[in-house]
């Protein structure tokens, strides 16, 4: 079923003038393939380790591994974007539209794994691990940022069927989502760390829905698993949330700054 859905996503994103760009057959690097693409194109990446820092540059495209065809998690393990500790491994930051997608990659060694800012995106069937956000920034694994005042229509980012683990930053070790909306669904978010708040997830002024996820931590310290702030109205539905913290006054949920999260089951 996942294979059919993912393939359908790619087909729906194509138009009559679109093309499939194959990496490395057509271009040796992912970035060169993106640079050569147009809105609606698909950049298809073969297994391998690509030591790159990817930026979509405003291209509303589908960037995918062969996972869309074989539905094999080994393909995810074998198709790696390695940020080399130089910059974010993947950036989607230039008003890309809702057809934009990143599918079936392992994303690691980034100064943040994925940064999405003022853009729409779908992050599907990815592993995001061993990324570290610098300084005061948040979202070691995935950082989703928007701009504007409460009540405006923000961009939408969907993160589905992903494993997000062993990432680190100041706040929102696994995922930080601010001034943006979307859905986080069927994800495993665990063993991420931070040195302020929201080891696994931090919400800031968002109505994001999190459902059917496994969220767990083993960090010991004076921190919390999930933080809601900035008037967040996030909704958590049918999740398993676990803390094995044996030290300090750690909270599983920490809500402040007029936030009003909804927790169901």
């Amino acid at each position: 079923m996942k294979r059919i859905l993912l393939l359908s996503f790619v087909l729906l994103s194509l138009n009559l003038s679109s093309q499939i760009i194959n990496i490395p057959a057509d271009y040796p690097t992912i970035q060169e393939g993106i640079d050569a693409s147009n809105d609606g194109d698909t950049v298809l990446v073969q297994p391998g380790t690509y030591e790159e820092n990817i930026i979509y540059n405003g291209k509303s495209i589908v960037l995918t591994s062969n996972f869309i065809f074989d539905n094999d998690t080994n393909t995810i393990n074998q198709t790696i974007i390695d940020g080399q500790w130089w910059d974010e491994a993947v950036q989607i930051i230039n008003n890309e539209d809702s057809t934009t997608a990143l599918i079936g990659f392992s994303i690691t060694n980034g100064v943040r794994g994925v940064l999405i800012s003022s853009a729409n995106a779908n992050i599907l069937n990815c592993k995001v691990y061993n990324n570290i956000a610098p300084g005061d920034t948040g979202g070691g694994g995935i950082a989703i940022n928007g701009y504007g005042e409460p009540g405006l229509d923000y961009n939408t980012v969907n993160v589905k069927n992903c494993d997000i683990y062993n990432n680190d930053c100041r706040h929102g070790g696994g995922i930080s989502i601010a001034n943006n909306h979307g859905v986080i669904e069927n994800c495993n978010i665990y063993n991420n760390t931070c040195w302020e708040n929201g080891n696994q997830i931090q919400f800031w002024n968002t109505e994001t829905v999190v459902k059917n996820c496994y969220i767990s931590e083993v960090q010991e310290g004076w921190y919390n698993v999930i933080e809601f702030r900035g008037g967040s109205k996030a909704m958590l539905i049918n999740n398993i949330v676990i803390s094995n913290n044996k030290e300090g006054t750690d909270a599983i949920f920490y809500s402040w700054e007029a936030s009003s999260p909804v927790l169901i089951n």
Side-chain angles (χ1 to χ4, degrees):
M1 178 61 72
K2 288 181 182 177
R3 178 174 60 187
I4 295 171
L5 291 174
L6 288 171
L7 188 55
S8 297
F9 184 95
V10 174
L11 293 174
L12 286 171
S13 71
L14 297 175
N15 55 52
L16 293 178
S17 60
S18 65
Q19 61 178 330
I20 296 177
I21 297 172
N22 199 303
I23 308 298
D26 296 329
Y27 295 92
T29 69
I30 298 173
Q31 190 61 57
E32 287 177 277
I34 292 173
D35 293 343
S37 70
N38 296 301
D39 289 350
D41 287 349
T42 295
V43 178
L44 177 64
V45 181
Q46 302 304 313
T49 298
Y50 298 83
E51 294 182 339
E52 302 186 50
N53 303 96
I54 304 304
I55 183 166
Y56 277 55
N57 282 326
K59 305 288 185 70
S60 297
I61 59 172
V62 174
L63 176 60
T64 179
S65 72
N66 280 323
F67 180 81
I68 60 165
F69 298 117
D70 61 27
N71 201 33
D72 187 346
T73 56
N74 287 324
T75 299
I76 300 173
N77 297 332
Q78 295 166 6
T79 314
I80 302 166
I81 300 175
D82 186 332
Q84 313 161 82
W85 303 116
W86 180 257
D87 204 343
E88 283 90 0
V90 179
Q91 295 185 58
I92 306 172
I93 60 173
N94 290 299
N95 300 307
E96 290 84 356
D97 70 25
S98 60
T99 64
T100 303
L102 177 70
I103 303 172
F105 290 93
S106 288
I107 300 164
T108 189
N109 297 338
V111 184
R112 289 193 290 201
V114 181
L115 171 62
I116 303 166
S117 183
S118 297
N120 301 276
N122 299 276
I123 312 301
L124 310 175
N125 298 91
C126 288
K127 292 186 176 181
V128 183
Y129 61 93
N130 294 348
N131 301 282
I132 300 177
D136 193 40
T137 55
I142 300 176
I144 302 168
N145 301 322
Y147 300 96
E149 298 297 326
L152 294 179
D153 290 331
Y154 296 122
N155 299 111
T156 298
V157 176
N158 298 308
V159 180
K160 299 183 179 182
N161 306 315
C162 291
D163 291 343
I164 302 162
Y165 59 96
N166 294 353
N167 302 287
D168 182 72
C169 67
R170 180 171 178 177
H171 47 79
I175 300 177
S176 173
I177 180 166
N179 301 320
N180 216 314
H181 300 327
V183 175
I184 302 171
E185 184 175 6
N186 296 329
C187 291
N188 297 311
I189 306 167
Y190 61 95
N191 290 359
N192 301 287
T193 57
C194 70
W195 57 93
E196 188 171 288
N197 280 306
N199 286 330
Q200 308 311 312
I201 308 176
Q202 183 193 59
F203 301 98
W204 193 320
N205 185 29
T206 177
E207 297 179 4
T208 294
V209 175
V210 180
K211 57 184 178 180
N212 301 327
C213 291
Y214 174 83
I215 304 166
S216 176
E217 72 170 40
V218 295
Q219 174 172 334
E220 293 190 359
W222 300 74
Y223 310 102
N224 49 73
V225 182
I226 299 174
E227 180 189 40
F228 308 90
R229 65 183 303 182
S232 285
K233 299 178 181 179
M235 180 176 292
L236 277 65
I237 306 171
N238 297 336
N239 302 286
I240 295 174
V241 185
I242 298 171
S243 173
N244 292 314
N245 194 334
K246 301 178 179 64
E247 178 183 342
T249 57
D250 173 78
I252 289 182
F253 302 110
Y254 182 55
S255 175
W256 62 306
E257 295 182 342
S259 296
S260 53
V262 176
L263 311 178
I264 300 173
N265 295 334

